[in-house]
Coordinates of all heavy atoms in Angstrom, one line a residue:
Y119 N 81.6 89.7 96.8 CA 82.0 89.7 95.4 C 83.1 88.6 95.1 O 83.8 88.2 95.9 CB 82.5 91.1 95.1 CG 81.6 92.3 95.3 CD1 81.5 92.9 96.5 CD2 80.7 92.6 94.2 CE1 80.7 93.9 96.7 CE2 79.9 93.6 94.4 CZ 79.7 94.3 95.7 OH 79.0 95.3 95.9
D120 N 83.0 88.1 93.9 CA 83.8 87.0 93.4 C 85.1 87.6 92.9 O 85.3 88.2 92.0 CB 83.2 86.3 92.2 CG 83.9 85.0 91.9 OD1 85.1 84.8 92.5 OD2 83.4 84.2 91.1
S121 N 86.2 87.5 93.9 CA 87.5 88.1 93.6 C 88.3 87.3 92.6 O 89.2 87.8 92.1 CB 88.3 88.2 94.9 OG 88.4 87.0 95.5
T122 N 87.8 86.1 92.1 CA 88.4 85.5 91.0 C 88.3 86.3 89.7 O 88.9 86.0 88.7 CB 87.8 84.1 90.9 OG1 86.6 84.1 90.4 CG2 88.1 83.2 92.2
C123 N 87.3 87.2 89.7 CA 87.1 88.0 88.5 C 88.1 89.2 88.3 O 87.8 90.0 87.4 CB 85.6 88.6 88.5 SG 84.4 87.2 88.6
I124 N 89.0 89.3 89.2 CA 89.9 90.5 89.2 C 90.7 90.6 87.7 O 90.7 91.7 87.2 CB 91.1 90.5 90.3 CG1 90.3 90.8 91.6 CG2 92.1 91.4 90.0 CD1 91.2 90.8 92.8
P125 N 91.1 89.5 87.1 CA 91.8 89.7 85.9 C 90.9 90.1 84.8 O 91.2 91.1 83.9 CB 92.2 88.0 85.4 CG 92.3 87.5 86.8 CD 91.3 88.1 87.7
Q126 N 89.5 89.8 84.8 CA 88.6 90.4 83.9 C 88.3 91.8 84.1 O 88.1 92.6 83.3 CB 87.3 89.6 83.8 CG 87.5 88.1 83.4 CD 87.7 87.2 84.5 OE1 88.6 87.4 85.4 NE2 87.0 86.0 84.5
L127 N 88.2 92.2 85.4 CA 88.0 93.5 85.8 C 88.9 94.5 85.4 O 88.7 95.5 84.9 CB 87.8 93.5 87.4 CG 87.3 94.9 87.9 CD1 85.9 95.3 87.5 CD2 87.7 94.9 89.4
I128 N 90.2 94.1 85.5 CA 91.3 95.1 85.2 C 91.8 95.0 83.8 O 92.4 95.9 83.4 CB 92.6 94.9 86.1 CG1 93.2 93.5 85.8 CG2 92.1 95.0 87.6 CD1 94.5 93.3 86.6
A129 N 91.2 94.0 83.0 CA 91.8 93.8 81.6 C 91.6 95.1 80.7 O 92.5 95.5 80.0 CB 91.0 92.6 81.0
P130 N 90.3 95.8 80.8 CA 90.3 97.0 80.1 C 91.2 98.1 80.4 O 91.6 99.0 79.7 CB 88.7 97.3 80.3 CG 88.1 96.2 80.6 CD 89.1 95.4 81.4
I131 N 91.5 98.2 81.8 CA 92.5 99.2 82.2 C 93.9 98.8 81.7 O 94.6 99.7 81.2 CB 92.5 99.3 83.8 CG1 91.0 99.7 84.2 CG2 93.5 100.2 84.3 CD1 91.0 99.7 85.8
V132 N 94.2 97.6 81.8 CA 95.6 97.1 81.3 C 95.7 97.4 79.8 O 96.7 97.9 79.2 CB 95.7 95.7 81.5 CG1 96.9 95.2 80.8 CG2 95.7 95.3 82.9
A133 N 94.6 97.3 79.0 CA 94.5 97.4 77.6 C 94.5 99.0 77.2 O 94.6 99.3 76.1 CB 93.4 96.7 77.0
G134 N 94.1 99.8 78.3 CA 94.2 101.2 78.0 C 92.8 101.8 77.4 O 92.8 102.8 76.9
T135 N 91.8 100.9 77.6 CA 90.5 101.4 76.9 C 89.6 101.9 78.1 O 88.6 102.7 77.8 CB 89.8 100.2 76.3 OG1 89.6 99.1 77.3 CG2 90.5 99.6 75.1
C136 N 89.9 101.7 79.3 CA 89.1 102.3 80.5 C 90.1 102.8 81.5 O 91.1 102.3 81.7 CB 88.0 101.2 81.0 SG 86.7 100.9 80.0
D137 N 89.5 103.7 82.3 CA 90.3 104.2 83.5 C 89.6 103.7 84.8 O 90.4 103.8 85.8 CB 90.3 105.7 83.4 CG 90.7 106.3 82.1 OD1 92.1 106.1 81.8 OD2 90.1 107.0 81.3
M138 N 88.4 103.3 84.8 CA 87.7 103.0 85.9 C 86.9 101.8 85.6 O 86.1 101.9 84.4 CB 86.9 104.1 86.4 CG 86.0 103.7 87.7 SD 85.1 105.2 88.2 CE 84.2 104.6 89.7
M139 N 86.8 100.7 86.3 CA 86.0 99.5 86.0 C 85.2 99.3 87.2 O 85.6 99.2 88.4 CB 86.8 98.4 85.6 CG 87.4 98.5 84.2 SD 86.2 98.4 82.9 CE 85.5 96.8 83.2
L140 N 83.9 98.8 86.9 CA 83.0 98.5 88.0 C 82.6 96.9 87.8 O 82.3 96.5 86.7 CB 81.7 99.3 87.9 CG 81.9 100.7 88.0 CD1 80.5 101.5 87.8 CD2 82.6 101.2 89.3
G141 N 82.6 96.2 88.9 CA 82.1 94.8 88.9 C 80.6 94.8 89.2 O 80.1 95.0 90.4
S142 N 79.8 94.7 88.2 CA 78.3 94.9 88.4 C 77.5 93.6 88.7 O 77.8 92.5 88.1 CB 77.7 95.4 87.0 OG 76.2 95.3 87.1
R143 N 76.7 93.7 89.8 CA 75.9 92.6 90.4 C 74.7 92.4 89.4 O 74.0 91.4 89.4 CB 75.5 92.8 91.7 CG 76.7 92.8 92.6 CD 76.3 93.3 94.1 NE 76.0 94.8 94.0 CZ 75.7 95.5 95.0 NH1 75.6 94.9 96.3 NH2 75.3 96.8 94.8
L144 N 74.3 93.4 88.7 CA 73.1 93.4 87.9 C 73.2 93.1 86.5 O 72.1 92.9 85.7 CB 72.5 94.8 88.0 CG 71.5 95.1 89.2 CD1 72.4 94.9 90.5 CD2 71.0 96.5 89.3
L145 N 74.4 93.0 86.0 CA 74.7 92.8 84.5 C 74.6 91.3 84.3 O 75.4 90.5 85.0 CB 76.1 93.4 84.1 CG 76.4 93.3 82.6 CD1 75.5 94.2 81.8 CD2 77.9 93.8 82.5
R146 N 73.9 90.9 83.4 CA 73.9 89.4 83.0 C 75.2 88.9 82.3 O 75.7 89.7 81.4 CB 72.7 89.0 82.1 CG 71.3 89.2 82.8 CD 70.3 88.4 82.0 NE 69.0 88.6 82.6 CZ 68.1 89.6 82.3 NH1 68.4 90.5 81.4 NH2 66.8 89.7 82.9
Q147 N 75.6 87.8 82.6 CA 76.7 87.2 81.9 C 76.2 86.5 80.6 O 75.1 86.2 80.6 CB 77.4 86.2 82.8 CG 78.1 86.8 84.0 CD 78.9 85.7 84.8 OE1 79.8 85.1 84.2 NE2 78.6 85.7 86.1
P148 N 77.0 86.3 79.6 CA 76.5 85.8 78.4 C 75.9 84.5 78.6 O 76.4 83.6 79.4 CB 77.8 85.7 77.6 CG 78.7 86.7 78.1 CD 78.4 86.8 79.5
G149 N 74.6 84.3 78.1 CA 73.9 82.9 78.3 C 73.2 82.8 79.5 O 72.5 81.8 79.7
Q150 N 73.4 83.8 80.4 CA 72.6 83.8 81.7 C 71.2 84.2 81.6 O 70.9 85.3 81.1 CB 73.4 84.6 82.8 CG 72.9 84.5 84.1 CD 73.6 85.3 85.1 OE1 74.2 86.4 84.8 NE2 73.8 85.0 86.4
G151 N 70.3 83.5 82.2 CA 68.9 83.9 82.3 C 68.5 84.5 83.6 O 69.3 84.3 84.6
G152 N 67.4 85.1 83.7 CA 67.0 85.6 85.0 C 67.7 86.8 85.5 O 68.4 87.4 84.7
N153 N 67.5 87.2 86.6 CA 68.1 88.3 87.3 C 69.3 87.9 88.1 O 69.0 87.3 89.3 CB 67.1 89.2 88.1 CG 67.7 90.5 88.5 OD1 68.6 90.5 89.3 ND2 67.0 91.6 88.0
P154 N 70.6 88.2 87.9 CA 71.7 87.7 88.6 C 71.7 88.2 90.0 O 72.1 87.5 91.0 CB 72.8 88.1 87.7 CG 72.3 89.2 86.9 CD 70.9 89.0 86.6
A155 N 71.3 89.4 90.2 CA 71.3 90.1 91.5 C 70.4 89.4 92.5 O 70.7 89.0 93.7 CB 71.1 91.6 91.5
L156 N 69.2 89.2 92.0 CA 68.1 88.6 92.8 C 68.5 87.2 93.0 O 68.2 86.6 94.1 CB 66.7 88.9 92.2 CG 66.3 90.2 92.0 CD1 64.8 90.3 91.3 CD2 66.1 90.9 93.4
A157 N 68.9 86.4 92.0 CA 69.2 85.2 92.1 C 70.4 84.9 93.3 O 70.5 83.9 93.8 CB 69.7 84.5 90.7
G158 N 71.3 86.0 93.4 CA 72.4 85.9 94.3 C 71.9 86.2 95.7 O 72.7 86.1 96.7
G159 N 70.6 86.6 95.9 CA 70.1 87.0 97.2 C 69.9 88.3 97.6 O 69.6 88.6 98.7
M160 N 70.1 89.3 96.6 CA 69.9 90.7 96.9 C 68.4 91.0 97.2 O 67.5 90.5 96.6 CB 70.4 91.5 95.7 CG 70.0 93.1 95.8 SD 70.5 94.1 94.4 CE 72.3 94.0 94.5
P161 N 68.2 91.7 98.4 CA 66.8 91.9 98.7 C 66.1 92.8 97.6 O 66.7 93.7 97.1 CB 66.9 92.6 100.1 CG 68.2 92.2 100.6 CD 69.1 92.0 99.4
I162 N 64.8 92.5 97.5 CA 64.1 93.1 96.4 C 64.1 94.7 96.6 O 64.2 95.4 95.5 CB 62.7 92.6 96.3 CG1 61.9 93.2 95.0 CG2 61.8 92.7 97.5 CD1 62.5 92.9 93.7
W163 N 63.9 95.1 97.7 CA 63.9 96.6 97.9 C 65.3 97.2 97.7 O 65.3 98.3 97.2 CB 63.5 96.9 99.4 CG 64.6 96.4 100.5 CD1 64.4 95.3 101.2 CD2 65.6 97.2 101.0 NE1 65.5 95.3 102.1 CE2 66.3 96.4 101.9 CE3 66.2 98.5 100.7 CZ2 67.4 96.8 102.6 CZ3 67.4 98.8 101.3 CH2 67.9 98.1 102.3
K164 N 66.3 96.5 97.9 CA 67.6 97.1 97.6 C 67.8 97.0 96.1 O 68.5 98.0 95.5 CB 68.7 96.1 98.4 CG 70.1 96.7 98.1 CD 71.1 96.0 99.1 CE 70.8 96.4 100.5 NZ 72.0 95.9 101.4
Y165 N 67.3 96.0 95.4 CA 67.3 96.0 93.9 C 66.8 97.1 93.3 O 67.2 97.9 92.5 CB 66.9 94.7 93.4 CG 66.8 94.6 91.8 CD1 67.9 94.3 91.1 CD2 65.5 94.9 91.4 CE1 67.7 94.3 89.8 CE2 65.4 94.7 89.9 CZ 66.5 94.5 89.2 OH 66.3 94.5 87.8
V166 N 65.5 97.5 93.8 CA 64.8 98.5 93.1 C 65.3 99.9 93.4 O 65.5 100.7 92.6 CB 63.3 98.5 93.8 CG1 62.5 99.8 93.4 CG2 62.6 97.3 93.5
A167 N 65.9 100.0 94.7 CA 66.7 101.3 94.9 C 67.8 101.5 94.1 O 68.2 102.5 93.6 CB 66.9 101.3 96.4
N168 N 68.6 100.3 94.0 CA 69.8 100.4 93.2 C 69.5 100.8 91.7 O 70.2 101.6 91.1 CB 70.4 99.0 93.1 CG 71.9 98.9 92.6 OD1 72.1 99.6 91.6 ND2 72.7 98.1 93.2
R169 N 68.4 100.2 91.2 CA 68.1 100.4 89.9 C 67.6 101.9 89.6 O 67.9 102.6 88.7 CB 66.9 99.6 89.3 CG 67.3 98.1 89.1 CD 68.4 97.9 88.1 NE 68.0 98.5 86.8 CZ 68.8 99.2 85.9 NH1 70.1 99.4 86.3 NH2 68.4 99.6 84.8
F170 N 66.9 102.5 90.5 CA 66.3 103.8 90.5 C 67.5 104.7 90.5 O 67.7 105.8 89.7 CB 65.4 104.1 91.7 CG 65.2 105.6 91.8 CD1 64.4 106.3 91.0 CD2 65.8 106.3 92.8 CE1 64.0 107.7 91.1 CE2 65.4 107.7 93.0 CZ 64.6 108.4 92.0
L171 N 68.5 104.6 91.4 CA 69.6 105.4 91.5 C 70.6 105.3 90.4 O 71.1 106.4 89.8 CB 70.4 105.1 92.8 CG 69.7 105.6 94.2 CD1 70.6 105.1 95.4 CD2 69.5 107.1 94.3
T172 N 70.8 104.0 89.9 CA 71.7 103.9 88.8 C 71.1 104.7 87.4 O 71.8 105.3 86.7 CB 71.9 102.5 88.4 OG1 72.6 101.9 89.6 CG2 72.6 102.3 87.1
I173 N 69.7 104.5 87.3 CA 69.1 105.1 86.0 C 69.2 106.7 86.2 O 69.4 107.3 85.2 CB 67.6 104.7 86.0 CG1 67.5 103.1 85.6 CG2 66.8 105.6 85.1 CD1 66.1 102.7 85.7
S174 N 69.0 107.2 87.5 CA 69.2 108.7 87.7 C 70.6 109.0 87.3 O 70.9 110.1 86.6 CB 68.9 108.9 89.1 OG 67.6 108.6 89.4
E175 N 71.6 108.3 87.8 CA 73.0 108.7 87.5 C 73.4 108.5 86.1 O 74.1 109.4 85.5 CB 73.9 107.8 88.4 CG 73.9 108.0 89.9 CD 74.5 107.0 90.7 OE1 73.7 106.0 91.0 OE2 75.7 107.1 91.2
N176 N 72.8 107.5 85.4 CA 73.0 107.4 84.0 C 72.5 108.6 83.2 O 73.1 109.2 82.3 CB 72.3 106.1 83.4 CG 73.1 104.9 83.7 OD1 74.4 104.9 83.9 ND2 72.5 103.8 83.8
M177 N 71.3 109.1 83.6 CA 70.7 110.2 82.8 C 71.5 111.5 83.1 O 71.8 112.3 82.2 CB 69.3 110.4 83.4 CG 68.3 109.3 83.0 SD 66.7 109.5 83.7 CE 66.2 111.2 83.1
V178 N 71.9 111.7 84.3 CA 72.6 113.0 84.7 C 74.1 113.0 84.1 O 74.5 113.9 83.6 CB 72.5 113.3 86.2 CG1 73.6 114.4 86.6 CG2 71.1 113.5 86.7
L179 N 74.7 111.8 84.4 CA 76.1 111.7 83.9 C 76.3 111.2 82.5 O 77.6 111.3 82.0 CB 76.9 110.7 84.9 CG 76.8 111.1 86.4 CD1 77.3 110.1 87.3 CD2 77.4 112.5 86.7
G180 N 75.3 110.9 81.8 CA 75.6 110.4 80.5 C 76.2 109.1 80.4 O 77.0 108.9 79.4
L181 N 76.0 108.2 81.3 CA 76.4 106.9 81.3 C 75.4 105.8 80.9 O 74.3 106.2 80.6 CB 77.0 106.5 82.7 CG 78.0 107.4 83.2 CD1 78.3 107.2 84.7 CD2 79.3 107.3 82.5
R182 N 75.8 104.6 80.6 CA 74.9 103.5 80.3 C 75.3 102.4 81.1 O 75.6 101.2 80.6 CB 75.0 103.2 78.8 CG 74.6 104.3 77.9 CD 74.6 104.0 76.4 NE 73.7 102.9 76.1 CZ 73.6 102.3 74.9 NH1 74.3 102.8 73.9 NH2 72.7 101.3 74.7
L183 N 75.5 102.5 82.5 CA 75.9 101.4 83.3 C 74.7 100.7 83.8 O 73.6 101.2 84.0 CB 76.7 102.0 84.5 CG 78.0 102.7 84.1 CD1 78.5 103.5 85.3 CD2 79.1 101.7 83.5

Side-chain angles (χ1 to χ4, degrees):
Y119 299 91
D120 187 351
S121 52
T122 65
C123 295
I124 287 176
Q126 297 95 310
L127 184 71
I128 67 174
I131 298 179
V132 172
T135 58
C136 286
D137 305 294
M138 175 180 182
M139 286 293 297
L140 306 177
S142 172
R143 296 167 291 183
L144 276 56
L145 188 65
R146 288 193 183 96
Q147 299 185 49
Q150 183 180 27
N153 187 298
L156 296 178
M160 179 182 285
I162 185 66
W163 66 265
K164 184 168 289 190
Y165 172 79
V166 172
N168 192 321
R169 289 301 302 142
F170 169 74
L171 290 174
T172 296
I173 290 169
S174 300
E175 288 165 280
N176 282 337
M177 291 176 60
V178 172
L179 300 174
L181 300 171
R182 299 182 63 183
L183 297 171

